[in-house]
Amino acid sequence: MILVLAIIGLRAFNGSLSVAEALGFATGFMLYIQRFFNPVRSIVLQYTQIQRATAGAHRIFEVLDTEPEIVDASDAIELPDVEGRVDFDHVWFAYIDENWVLRNFNLHAKPGETIALVGHTGAGKTSVTALLSRFYDIQQGTLSIDGHDIKQVRIDSLRRRMSVVLQEAYLFSGTVRENIRYGKLDASDEEIERAARAVGAHDFIMRLEHGYDTELHERGSNLSVGQRQLISFARAIIANPRILVLDEATANVDTHTERVIQEALATMLQGRTSFVIAHRLSTIRRADRIVVMRNGEIIEIGNHDALMALDGTYADLYRMTYTQVGGQQATEEAATRSWPPRADAPRGS
Ligand SMILES: Nc1ncnc2c1ncn2[C@@H]1O[C@H](COP(=O)(O)OP(=O)(O)O)[C@@H](O)[C@H]1O
Ligand SMILES: [Mg+2]
């Protein structure tokens, strides 16, 4: 550009171009050169974008091409409609070699029973629930649903009978309706609304700008924690599963939302065999049986009263939480506290 402008300037200076001509040439030249380089620049930009996208696509296909380690047995049967009896019989399980995560684990859940799993981090609570959905295979013993060994049934039929609600509600970008429908792809709009009503999510959904058609951001970041939880509840029950696995969230929500979630939980657990990794004392107390785990073993089992009477680990931990809040409203407040209590939690406040 400098060279061309210099030549034009020289020509104007020595009189072979008039000033007006020189200005015209210079302006024209600069405008055209801009026009020429703009698309070149954007081609270069697109190229780096394409490279990035290719790298991303590569990873996506890697994931899609992953062969699952756990596959159906060749003679696997369709799991028929079940009542929801779950039996862990002498189950031994390790993720790696012989680092047993569950040792001779025995647990028998009756249809419709709510079982709360409690214990410190690493006790094996999540592992118990992961085995139930057959995300991993056990090394020894049997795990059966209504008497069907889960290794003998087709995995898709097994997973259709159960819903898993994770601690972190997983929402996708898309509308509220689509997010709920994810639990049952052929659900009608009425079914979606019924599920939302059942868990008490309908009211707040209607208050959103476009109701059920409100677009959620990725991971539902435009909703509150409690609202996300309720939507994931609706998603969990829309397929009416017989077995429900719930990694209860400890998230701090306001008192109103807390109450809505409590009620939603009660509705969800009703008539379903449920395994709840329970953090709220209210859920624990309402459970039919509480399983206290330590290092992959059950150290105490029974309902709240029985375990309190036993005066063991559960009773200790319960009292520890309870005494954190003194006085009258203790129960109400304790109900929303996380469990087991953190060792560094302030006492007597
Ligand atoms: N994917 C995994 N691979 C290897 N070890 C794991 C895996 N998940 C959990 N573990 C181990 O299994 C044990 C039990 O973990 P987990 O079931 O998550 O306990 P909890 O849910 O009670 O905190 C822990 O010692 C943990 O380190
Ligand atoms: Mg866990």
Side-chain angles (χ1 to χ4, degrees), residues 113-183:
E113 195 175 21
T114 300
I115 300 215
L117 298 169
V118 298
H120 287 286
T121 308
K125 307 180 296 291
T126 304
S127 305
V128 170
T129 60
L131 292 180
L132 204 55
S133 316
R134 205 168 163 216
F135 290 135
Y136 301 93
D137 268 338
I138 55 180
Q139 278 84 2
Q140 280 180 52
T142 51
L143 170 47
S144 54
I145 294 177
D146 277 28
H148 300 280
D149 187 331
I150 64 165
K151 286 187 182 173
Q152 300 301 324
V153 300
R154 290 233 298 278
I155 295 172
D156 60 341
S157 70
L158 169 74
R159 293 186 184 156
R160 230 179 302 128
R161 305 274 180 257
M162 60 177 75
S163 276
V164 181
V165 183
L166 297 177
Q167 197 160 11
E168 269 295 312
Y170 221 96
L171 301 187
F172 308 101
S173 51
T175 62
V176 171
R177 195 189 304 283
E178 286 161 351
N179 265 285
I180 298 178
R181 183 175 280 140
Y182 186 67

Side-chain angles (χ1 to χ4, degrees), residues 93 95-96 99 101 119-128 136 247 277 293:
F93 169 68
Y95 289 98
I96 314 158
N99 299 321
V101 170
H120 287 286
T121 308
K125 307 180 296 291
T126 304
S127 305
V128 170
Y136 301 93
D247 210 335
I277 298 176
M293 294 184 62

Side-chain angles (χ1 to χ4, degrees), residues 193-208:
E193 196 180 312
R194 212 177 314 133
R197 275 185 196 280
V199 298
H202 180 75
D203 289 343
F204 95 78
I205 294 174
M206 291 315 285
R207 279 198 303 273
L208 296 176

Side-chain angles (χ1 to χ4, degrees), residues 15 20 25 62 66 93 96 107 127 140 165 179 266 297 300 324 330:
F25 277 131
E62 246 176 39
T66 308
F93 169 68
I96 314 158
L107 181 61
S127 305
Q140 280 180 52
V165 183
N179 265 285
E297 285 172 307
E300 286 171 22
Q324 279 172 18

Side-chain angles (χ1 to χ4, degrees), residues 7-217:
I7 293 171
I8 294 172
L10 271 177
R11 288 270 190 109
F13 195 69
N14 66 24
S16 53
L17 284 174
S18 73
V19 175
E21 276 172 332
L23 275 178
F25 277 131
T27 322
F29 171 72
M30 293 211 293
L31 286 177
Y32 282 129
I33 208 110
Q34 287 283 349
R35 284 226 196 152
F36 175 72
F37 275 112
N38 273 344
V40 172
R41 210 176 290 138
S42 63
I43 286 176
V44 173
L45 279 178
Q46 299 294 336
Y47 183 69
T48 49
Q49 287 263 348
I50 288 171
Q51 276 191 321
R52 257 195 246 163
T54 321
H58 192 74
R59 293 214 184 152
I60 291 173
F61 282 110
E62 246 176 39
V63 173
L64 291 179
D65 289 343
T66 308
E67 291 290 335
E69 281 172 34
I70 297 190
V71 289
D72 286 336
S74 53
D75 55 349
I77 58 157
E78 182 92 358
L79 183 66
D81 270 333
V82 291
E83 282 191 282
R85 184 159 50 83
V86 177
D87 297 294
F88 287 82
D89 274 304
H90 305 287
V91 168
W92 288 75
F93 169 68
Y95 289 98
I96 314 158
D97 301 331
E98 303 227 316
N99 299 321
W100 299 114
V101 170
L102 296 183
R103 304 152 203 269
N104 196 20
F105 189 84
N106 288 288
L107 181 61
H108 306 277
K110 294 190 280 288
E113 195 175 21
T114 300
I115 300 215
L117 298 169
V118 298
H120 287 286
T121 308
K125 307 180 296 291
T126 304
S127 305
V128 170
T129 60
L131 292 180
L132 204 55
S133 316
R134 205 168 163 216
F135 290 135
Y136 301 93
D137 268 338
I138 55 180
Q139 278 84 2
Q140 280 180 52
T142 51
L143 170 47
S144 54
I145 294 177
D146 277 28
H148 300 280
D149 187 331
I150 64 165
K151 286 187 182 173
Q152 300 301 324
V153 300
R154 290 233 298 278
I155 295 172
D156 60 341
S157 70
L158 169 74
R159 293 186 184 156
R160 230 179 302 128
R161 305 274 180 257
M162 60 177 75
S163 276
V164 181
V165 183
L166 297 177
Q167 197 160 11
E168 269 295 312
Y170 221 96
L171 301 187
F172 308 101
S173 51
T175 62
V176 171
R177 195 189 304 283
E178 286 161 351
N179 265 285
I180 298 178
R181 183 175 280 140
Y182 186 67
K184 184 183 178 202
L185 298 177
D186 56 356
S188 67
D189 287 355
E190 288 73 49
E191 282 178 274
I192 289 172
E193 196 180 312
R194 212 177 314 133
R197 275 185 196 280
V199 298
H202 180 75
D203 289 343
F204 95 78
I205 294 174
M206 291 315 285
R207 279 198 303 273
L208 296 176
E209 203 178 341
H210 304 289
Y212 284 84
D213 295 314
T214 309
E215 287 282 337
L216 299 185
H217 299 167

